[in-house]
mmCIF file of all heavy atoms in Angstrom:
data_model
loop_
_atom_site.group_PDB
_atom_site.id
_atom_site.type_symbol
_atom_site.label_atom_id
_atom_site.label_comp_id
_atom_site.label_asym_id
_atom_site.label_seq_id
_atom_site.Cartn_x
_atom_site.Cartn_y
_atom_site.Cartn_z
ATOM 1 N N ASP I 22 -9.426 0.003 4.721
ATOM 2 C CA ASP I 22 -10.480 0.247 3.728
ATOM 3 C C ASP I 22 -11.817 0.227 4.473
ATOM 4 O O ASP I 22 -12.667 -0.638 4.257
ATOM 5 C CB ASP I 22 -10.435 -0.822 2.628
ATOM 6 C CG ASP I 22 -9.144 -0.764 1.815
ATOM 7 O OD1 ASP I 22 -8.285 0.083 2.114
ATOM 8 O OD2 ASP I 22 -9.000 -1.566 0.883
ATOM 9 N N LYS I 53 -2.076 0.879 4.982
ATOM 10 C CA LYS I 53 -2.461 1.479 3.697
ATOM 11 C C LYS I 53 -3.902 1.948 3.833
ATOM 12 O O LYS I 53 -4.760 1.207 4.326
ATOM 13 C CB LYS I 53 -2.343 0.463 2.558
ATOM 14 C CG LYS I 53 -2.724 1.067 1.194
ATOM 15 C CD LYS I 53 -2.368 0.153 0.047
ATOM 16 C CE LYS I 53 -3.361 -0.932 -0.212
ATOM 17 N NZ LYS I 53 -4.636 -0.494 -0.830
ATOM 18 N N ASN I 55 -7.047 3.322 1.727
ATOM 19 C CA ASN I 55 -7.604 3.594 0.403
ATOM 20 C C ASN I 55 -8.593 4.760 0.511
ATOM 21 O O ASN I 55 -9.627 4.665 1.179
ATOM 22 C CB ASN I 55 -8.287 2.346 -0.158
ATOM 23 C CG ASN I 55 -8.622 2.540 -1.623
ATOM 24 O OD1 ASN I 55 -9.145 3.594 -2.013
ATOM 25 N ND2 ASN I 55 -8.300 1.569 -2.435
ATOM 26 N N ASP I 88 -3.510 5.088 -0.593
ATOM 27 C CA ASP I 88 -3.840 4.461 -1.873
ATOM 28 C C ASP I 88 -4.835 5.363 -2.590
ATOM 29 O O ASP I 88 -6.030 5.350 -2.316
ATOM 30 C CB ASP I 88 -4.428 3.064 -1.607
ATOM 31 C CG ASP I 88 -4.645 2.287 -2.881
ATOM 32 O OD1 ASP I 88 -4.267 2.784 -3.966
ATOM 33 O OD2 ASP I 88 -5.201 1.180 -2.800
ATOM 34 N N LYS I 90 -4.074 6.171 -6.176
ATOM 35 C CA LYS I 90 -3.893 5.828 -7.606
ATOM 36 C C LYS I 90 -4.031 7.053 -8.505
ATOM 37 O O LYS I 90 -4.762 7.037 -9.498
ATOM 38 C CB LYS I 90 -4.867 4.733 -8.022
ATOM 39 C CG LYS I 90 -4.630 3.416 -7.277
ATOM 40 C CD LYS I 90 -5.492 2.302 -7.808
ATOM 41 C CE LYS I 90 -5.290 1.005 -7.068
ATOM 42 N NZ LYS I 90 -5.709 1.013 -5.657
ATOM 43 N N THR I 115 0.042 5.695 -3.880
ATOM 44 C CA THR I 115 -0.014 4.886 -5.098
ATOM 45 C C THR I 115 -0.310 5.800 -6.289
ATOM 46 O O THR I 115 -1.124 6.719 -6.208
ATOM 47 C CB THR I 115 -1.090 3.779 -5.011
ATOM 48 O OG1 THR I 115 -2.355 4.371 -4.732
ATOM 49 C CG2 THR I 115 -0.747 2.771 -3.929
ATOM 50 N N LEU I 137 1.523 1.576 -10.299
ATOM 51 C CA LEU I 137 0.799 0.359 -10.677
ATOM 52 C C LEU I 137 1.543 -0.339 -11.812
ATOM 53 O O LEU I 137 1.830 0.279 -12.841
ATOM 54 C CB LEU I 137 -0.617 0.715 -11.159
ATOM 55 C CG LEU I 137 -1.499 1.475 -10.169
ATOM 56 C CD1 LEU I 137 -2.854 1.791 -10.812
ATOM 57 C CD2 LEU I 137 -1.697 0.677 -8.888
ATOM 58 N N THR I 140 -1.675 -5.333 -11.833
ATOM 59 C CA THR I 140 -2.595 -5.285 -10.698
ATOM 60 C C THR I 140 -3.320 -6.621 -10.498
ATOM 61 O O THR I 140 -3.214 -7.525 -11.328
ATOM 62 C CB THR I 140 -3.596 -4.125 -10.873
ATOM 63 O OG1 THR I 140 -4.193 -4.226 -12.164
ATOM 64 C CG2 THR I 140 -2.906 -2.788 -10.728
ATOM 65 N N SER I 141 -4.069 -6.701 -9.408
ATOM 66 C CA SER I 141 -4.636 -7.991 -8.999
ATOM 67 C C SER I 141 -5.957 -8.309 -9.691
ATOM 68 O O SER I 141 -6.447 -9.431 -9.594
ATOM 69 C CB SER I 141 -4.860 -7.973 -7.484
ATOM 70 O OG SER I 141 -5.826 -6.984 -7.150
ATOM 71 N N VAL I 174 3.507 -1.821 -7.864
ATOM 72 C CA VAL I 174 2.372 -2.576 -7.330
ATOM 73 C C VAL I 174 2.172 -3.801 -8.206
ATOM 74 O O VAL I 174 1.969 -3.673 -9.422
ATOM 75 C CB VAL I 174 1.077 -1.724 -7.334
ATOM 76 C CG1 VAL I 174 -0.086 -2.540 -6.751
ATOM 77 C CG2 VAL I 174 1.264 -0.432 -6.566
ATOM 78 N N LEU I 196 4.659 -3.239 -3.499
ATOM 79 C CA LEU I 196 3.392 -3.302 -2.773
ATOM 80 C C LEU I 196 2.584 -4.436 -3.400
ATOM 81 O O LEU I 196 2.324 -4.416 -4.613
ATOM 82 C CB LEU I 196 2.626 -1.977 -2.894
ATOM 83 C CG LEU I 196 1.144 -1.979 -2.491
ATOM 84 C CD1 LEU I 196 0.954 -2.374 -1.033
ATOM 85 C CD2 LEU I 196 0.519 -0.611 -2.740
ATOM 86 N N PRO I 198 -0.876 -6.390 -3.164
ATOM 87 C CA PRO I 198 -2.234 -6.606 -2.659
ATOM 88 C C PRO I 198 -2.769 -7.919 -3.219
ATOM 89 O O PRO I 198 -2.113 -8.559 -4.045
ATOM 90 C CB PRO I 198 -2.998 -5.421 -3.243
ATOM 91 C CG PRO I 198 -2.281 -5.104 -4.504
ATOM 92 C CD PRO I 198 -0.884 -5.635 -4.427
ATOM 93 N N ILE I 200 -3.962 -10.688 -1.378
ATOM 94 C CA ILE I 200 -4.016 -11.851 -0.487
ATOM 95 C C ILE I 200 -5.182 -11.635 0.472
ATOM 96 O O ILE I 200 -5.423 -10.522 0.919
ATOM 97 C CB ILE I 200 -2.663 -12.034 0.253
ATOM 98 C CG1 ILE I 200 -1.624 -12.544 -0.762
ATOM 99 C CG2 ILE I 200 -2.789 -12.986 1.448
ATOM 100 C CD1 ILE I 200 -0.230 -12.741 -0.227
ATOM 101 N N ALA I 202 -9.119 -11.566 0.705
ATOM 102 C CA ALA I 202 -10.419 -11.581 0.014
ATOM 103 C C ALA I 202 -10.305 -11.916 -1.482
ATOM 104 O O ALA I 202 -11.229 -12.470 -2.071
ATOM 105 C CB ALA I 202 -11.110 -10.234 0.205
ATOM 106 N N GLN I 203 -9.164 -11.594 -2.114
ATOM 107 C CA GLN I 203 -9.036 -11.831 -3.564
ATOM 108 C C GLN I 203 -8.365 -13.167 -3.901
ATOM 109 O O GLN I 203 -8.148 -13.482 -5.076
ATOM 110 C CB GLN I 203 -8.276 -10.680 -4.218
ATOM 111 C CG GLN I 203 -8.983 -9.327 -4.083
ATOM 112 C CD GLN I 203 -8.185 -8.201 -4.723
ATOM 113 O OE1 GLN I 203 -7.797 -8.264 -5.874
ATOM 114 N NE2 GLN I 203 -7.929 -7.144 -3.957
ATOM 115 N N ASN I 221 -0.373 -6.095 1.384
ATOM 116 C CA ASN I 221 -1.595 -5.510 1.944
ATOM 117 C C ASN I 221 -2.706 -6.547 2.089
ATOM 118 O O ASN I 221 -2.983 -7.304 1.171
ATOM 119 C CB ASN I 221 -2.097 -4.387 1.029
ATOM 120 C CG ASN I 221 -3.390 -3.781 1.546
ATOM 121 O OD1 ASN I 221 -3.361 -2.873 2.364
ATOM 122 N ND2 ASN I 221 -4.541 -4.294 1.112
ATOM 123 N N VAL I 222 -3.336 -6.548 3.250
ATOM 124 C CA VAL I 222 -4.579 -7.307 3.437
ATOM 125 C C VAL I 222 -5.580 -6.337 4.058
ATOM 126 O O VAL I 222 -5.301 -5.751 5.111
ATOM 127 C CB VAL I 222 -4.383 -8.532 4.364
ATOM 128 C CG1 VAL I 222 -5.702 -9.284 4.535
ATOM 129 C CG2 VAL I 222 -3.295 -9.463 3.828
ATOM 130 N N SER I 223 -6.722 -6.165 3.426
ATOM 131 C CA SER I 223 -7.727 -5.229 3.948
ATOM 132 C C SER I 223 -8.914 -5.978 4.545
ATOM 133 O O SER I 223 -8.938 -6.277 5.743
ATOM 134 C CB SER I 223 -8.207 -4.273 2.851
ATOM 135 O OG SER I 223 -7.141 -3.588 2.246
ATOM 136 N N ARG I 224 -9.904 -6.313 3.701
ATOM 137 C CA ARG I 224 -11.178 -6.843 4.216
ATOM 138 C C ARG I 224 -11.024 -8.071 5.108
ATOM 139 O O ARG I 224 -11.718 -8.180 6.118
ATOM 140 C CB ARG I 224 -12.112 -7.202 3.040
ATOM 141 C CG ARG I 224 -12.715 -6.003 2.367
ATOM 142 C CD ARG I 224 -13.333 -6.386 1.038
ATOM 143 N NE ARG I 224 -12.341 -6.742 0.038
ATOM 144 C CZ ARG I 224 -12.613 -7.151 -1.197
ATOM 145 N NH1 ARG I 224 -13.865 -7.274 -1.572
ATOM 146 N NH2 ARG I 224 -11.650 -7.431 -2.043
HETATM 147 O O1 OMP M 1 -2.939 -0.311 -5.270
HETATM 148 C C1 OMP M 1 -3.511 -1.144 -4.547
HETATM 149 O O2 OMP M 1 -3.362 -1.151 -3.338
HETATM 150 C C2 OMP M 1 -4.246 -2.239 -5.196
HETATM 151 C C3 OMP M 1 -3.735 -2.685 -6.392
HETATM 152 C C4 OMP M 1 -4.200 -3.899 -6.932
HETATM 153 O O3 OMP M 1 -3.690 -4.391 -7.918
HETATM 154 N N1 OMP M 1 -5.217 -4.539 -6.311
HETATM 155 C C5 OMP M 1 -5.777 -4.082 -5.148
HETATM 156 O O4 OMP M 1 -6.653 -4.766 -4.611
HETATM 157 N N2 OMP M 1 -5.347 -2.889 -4.613
HETATM 158 C C6 OMP M 1 -5.984 -2.334 -3.402
HETATM 159 O O5 OMP M 1 -5.647 -3.194 -2.304
HETATM 160 C C7 OMP M 1 -6.779 -3.348 -1.424
HETATM 161 C C8 OMP M 1 -7.211 -4.785 -1.438
HETATM 162 O O6 OMP M 1 -8.219 -4.985 -0.490
HETATM 163 P P1 OMP M 1 -8.710 -6.447 -0.036
HETATM 164 O O7 OMP M 1 -9.029 -7.207 -1.280
HETATM 165 O O8 OMP M 1 -9.897 -6.177 0.818
HETATM 166 O O9 OMP M 1 -7.573 -7.074 0.738
HETATM 167 C C9 OMP M 1 -7.818 -2.362 -1.937
HETATM 168 O O10 OMP M 1 -7.605 -1.111 -1.290
HETATM 169 C C10 OMP M 1 -7.508 -2.257 -3.413
HETATM 170 O O11 OMP M 1 -7.940 -1.028 -3.952
#
Side-chain angles (χ1 to χ4, degrees):
D22 295 1
K53 181 169 82 73
N55 191 315
D88 187 4
K90 297 187 181 66
T115 56
L137 302 178
T140 52
S141 64
V174 181
L196 165 60
I200 288 178
Q203 298 179 53
N221 178 86
V222 180
S223 305
R224 286 166 290 178

